[in-house]
Amino acid sequence: LLHQDAYLVDGELKKWTGETSKVFSTISSTENYAPTLLGTIPTMGESAADEVVKSAVEAYDKGQGIWPTMKVSDRIKCMEHFVAQMKTTRSEVVKYLMWEIGKSLPDSEKEFDRTVEYIYDTIEDYKQLDRNNARFTKSQGVNAMVRRGPLGVVLCLGPYNYPLNETFSLLIPAIIMGNTVIFKPAKHGVLLISPLLEAFRSSFPKGVINIVYGRGRDVASPIMKSGKIDVLALIGNSKSAIALQDQHPNKNRLRLILGLEAKNPAIILADADLDLAIQECITGTLSFNGQRCTALKILYVHESIAVEFNKRFAEKVDALPFGNPWEKGVSLTPLPEPEKPNYIRELLDDATAKGAKIINTKGGERTENYIFPSVLYPINKEMRVYHEEQFGPVIPILTFKDIQEPLNDMAESNYGQQVSLFGRDIKTIAPLIDTLVNLVCRVNLNSSCQRGPDVYPFTGRKDSAVGTLSIHDALRSFSIRTFVASKDN
Ligand code: G3H
């Protein structure tokens, strides 16, 4: 058991003596199913919120603090110290990724290694940015040296599906650009931060990074209400993002960096390579059980190939092995949210009552912490699964005759992150790309949707995102362009 009894504030790991909350895993360590108790975390509220706000505000000191005015090379040294310390925690963090969120061993290791690589790449990009900033350029008689400066105090909230990697894709650029940060880990994927607390404490000046625990409404709300937050950086759902923004007393002053929901479609054209399309749609819909904002969440199959596609796709889904995250070769693993199987069941019942069928044999089979992936066909707009981001193992399929049908649906959708397009004829595909890039921010040709490699911009249109992440873009998102000018006398 891990009893997390300290939080990070003012550069100290301060002992928490108040109430605590239990952290459970949906994975059972007993034969007669019972969730496993993993440990406890502090249940924090308003007074802890006040403390971390004070700590971050003082460290920023209206832009005059040690951190925002520190030389770039010194900030880099701190970040290098942090990543060196972090690397020693790999096995511990990977263990918690498996137990807390049910991520498979290879994917947990990948999440850790990708994060380390992300930090090194961020450092390199930051050096490059600084080199470019350090030059005067002349325009219309004025010499100017453009620099990038911090924005202030950042509140960072990450998601449960990538509690390390995506959270750090906010935290690391925010810190390195000279901001000070308050971070509250996700509800599932919280204990894995414990092995990193000392690395944070020992790497950065006091108050640069502050870590609190507790429910959003108890601790994140008072932080926002303080009016001292300059940037809300959140990856999660729109509902929380809107609620938090609304609590800020001066919204004009608040900058937003948000990664939100998506309903990425795959469009499978009549001439698509079916083997490839089926394989990519399997990984696209079901890697990490579909709990990815980039997952394929609805499939549009051309009516001329639907019978064959559906049959082969459903068989492949049924063949996917389910097991605990550390078991060799597993594809499907327990769902970390205990209530998720019930939500998925509701979507299935709603769709089947309105005319869809579960077309794979094992679809909807329940265990205590899982519901086997269901391939639902045919879908229509009356069904909840057409509109809601299922974020779990359900694959809705509909057919189309004319390509304009999925394009119209995408244009009407509230989301606009990515699309996958499967087809062979470049004469059909090329003109489609020009339309698709206006509907979403990434068009994947003959491949499933994904965020990486992290050098490419990661964003979305409409309700899917505000601001752009990726190594290069995040450094810019967490900073503002300023410049020093001198006249040519
Ligand atoms: O949940 C959303 C993540 O950004 C997905 O990232 O495509 O690397 O799995 P990924």
Side-chain angles (χ1 to χ4, degrees):
L1 289 186
L2 196 162
H3 295 292
Q4 181 52 53
D5 61 357
Y7 59 112
L8 184 57
V9 63
D10 262 332
E12 267 179 54
L13 286 172
K14 196 166 166 190
K15 184 106 179 135
W16 174 253
T17 50
E19 266 181 57
T20 58
S21 317
K22 289 180 174 150
V23 180
F24 287 98
S25 169
T26 61
I27 302 169
S28 185
S29 45
T30 61
E31 258 177 46
N32 298 327
Y33 178 83
T36 305
L37 178 65
L38 298 178
T40 56
I41 51 163
T43 316
M44 297 182 152
E46 223 170 303
S47 66
D50 291 348
E51 246 187 293
V52 286
V53 167
K54 187 166 173 286
S55 166
V57 166
E58 281 179 8
Y60 191 68
D61 194 14
K62 300 188 169 78
Q64 300 176 82
I66 293 171
W67 187 247
T69 57
M70 189 181 269
K71 273 199 336 218
V72 166
S73 55
D74 289 339
R75 261 193 233 149
I76 288 173
K77 279 189 201 133
C78 295
M79 196 53 88
E80 283 170 343
H81 181 270
F82 173 75
V83 69
Q85 301 292 302
M86 176 181 168
K87 278 156 68 181
T88 66
T89 67
R90 186 176 190 263
S91 58
E92 194 73 351
V93 172
V94 164
K95 182 180 80 189
Y96 279 104
L97 275 168
M98 290 191 286
W99 274 95
E100 284 196 278
I101 65 159
K103 192 167 271 192
S104 71
L105 175 61
D107 285 351
S108 296
E109 289 176 336
K110 201 158 114 195
E111 175 160 357
F112 190 92
D113 297 340
R114 179 180 179 179
T115 310
V116 168
E117 196 183 324
Y118 182 95
I119 300 174
Y120 281 123
D121 289 348
T122 299
I123 291 172
E124 281 315 306
D125 210 66
Y126 184 43
K127 284 182 191 164
Q128 189 59 41
L129 180 70
D130 187 52
R131 268 195 289 274
N132 293 342
N133 285 351
R135 287 189 208 114
F136 270 97
T137 50
K138 191 172 155 188
S139 184
Q140 296 175 20
V142 174
N143 289 306
M145 185 167 68
V146 179
R147 302 154 64 121
R148 285 216 159 247
L151 296 168
V153 178
V154 181
L155 174 62
C156 274
L157 302 163
Y160 82 80
N161 63 335
Y162 275 100
L164 183 75
N165 181 264
E166 275 210 299
T167 304
F168 277 43
S169 74
L170 302 173
L171 269 183
I172 299 300
I175 293 175
I176 209 165
M177 289 312 298
N179 303 285
T180 63
V181 173
I182 301 169
F183 161 46
K184 188 185 90 61
K187 180 175 169 200
H188 306 286
V190 52
L191 292 175
L192 60 88
I193 298 299
S194 299
L196 295 161
L197 287 176
E198 178 52 26
F200 277 122
R201 190 206 63 76
S202 62
S203 303
F204 302 104
K206 85 174 198 173
V208 171
I209 165 87
N210 303 274
I211 301 181
V212 275
Y213 298 91
R215 287 187 309 184
R217 76 182 91 129
D218 296 335
V219 72
S221 298
I223 291 172
M224 289 304 287
K225 281 182 190 156
S226 73
K228 308 277 189 207
I229 297 300
D230 300 297
V231 183
L232 172 63
L234 174 148
I235 296 179
N237 61 64
S238 323
K239 213 171 129 198
S240 318
I242 290 169
L244 286 166
Q245 288 168 56
D246 283 347
Q247 284 156 359
H248 197 292
N250 183 356
K251 274 195 252 170
N252 285 346
R253 182 168 152 181
L254 183 68
R255 285 177 183 245
L256 299 173
I257 298 166
L258 307 174
L260 303 169
E261 293 99 346
K263 188 92 183 168
N264 294 339
I267 303 174
I268 298 123
L269 301 172
D271 69 343
D273 174 340
L274 268 198
D275 288 336
L276 176 74
I278 289 169
Q279 191 45 51
E280 287 292 316
C281 287
I282 291 280
T283 49
T285 53
L286 287 175
S287 81
F288 196 40
N289 301 298
Q291 301 167 115
R292 298 160 59 232
C293 63
T294 51
L296 289 174
K297 302 207 176 85
I298 191 155
L299 309 184
Y300 288 87
V301 184
H302 191 267
E303 60 174 17
S304 62
I305 51 167
V307 173
E308 191 185 351
F309 179 93
N310 287 356
K311 181 174 175 294
R312 287 171 56 191
F313 184 77
E315 282 167 6
K316 276 230 173 213
V317 169
D318 278 339
L320 294 173
F322 171 77
N324 283 324
W326 47 86
E327 287 167 27
K328 221 171 168 202
V330 290
S331 305
L332 309 171
T333 48
L335 301 171
E337 296 175 291
E339 61 285 1
K340 186 54 101 32
N342 295 336
Y343 167 68
I344 299 285
R345 188 72 251 172
E346 276 178 30
L347 292 182
L348 298 179
D349 290 347
D350 172 74
T352 49
K354 291 170 183 163
K357 286 200 166 52
I358 299 174
I359 61 167
N360 58 321
T361 314
K362 289 162 80 178
E365 278 179 11
R366 279 291 295 263
T367 58
E368 287 80 356
N369 55 10
Y370 202 63
I371 180 158
F372 199 86
S374 303
V375 186
L376 273 176
Y377 175 82
I379 294 307
N380 65 49
K381 293 181 187 174
E382 303 307 309
M383 299 171 187
R384 283 176 59 187
V385 74
Y386 174 86
H387 301 277
E388 294 177 27
E389 187 199 34
Q390 64 268 40
F391 216 77
V394 185
I395 305 125
I397 301 184
L398 33 74
T399 50
F400 68 94
K401 195 184 178 102
D402 185 324
I403 185 64
Q404 203 53 48
E405 296 162 37
L407 294 182
N408 288 346
D409 288 356
M410 286 173 70
E412 276 164 25
S413 166
N414 290 329
Y415 305 115
Q417 192 201 65
Q418 303 189 21
V419 64
S420 290
L421 180 64
F422 294 91
R424 282 190 167 106
D425 181 10
I426 191 67
K427 289 204 275 314
T428 315
I429 291 174
L432 271 179
I433 293 173
D434 292 337
T435 303
L436 289 170
V437 288
N438 291 346
L439 300 175
V440 292
C441 289
R442 174 167 169 164
V443 178
N444 299 279
L445 297 177
N446 293 308
S447 57
S448 61
C449 299
Q450 59 171 19
R451 175 167 43 120
D454 293 320
V455 288
Y456 293 116
F458 177 54
T459 185
R461 296 173 182 274
K462 299 186 259 186
D463 293 346
S464 285
V466 177
T468 305
L469 292 170
S470 82
I471 291 153
H472 189 72
D473 293 286
L475 290 177
R476 286 149 183 86
S477 297
F478 282 101
S479 60
I480 189 165
R481 280 180 106 198
T482 60
F483 68 102
V484 183
S486 80
K487 269 198 181 167
D488 228 4
N489 292 320

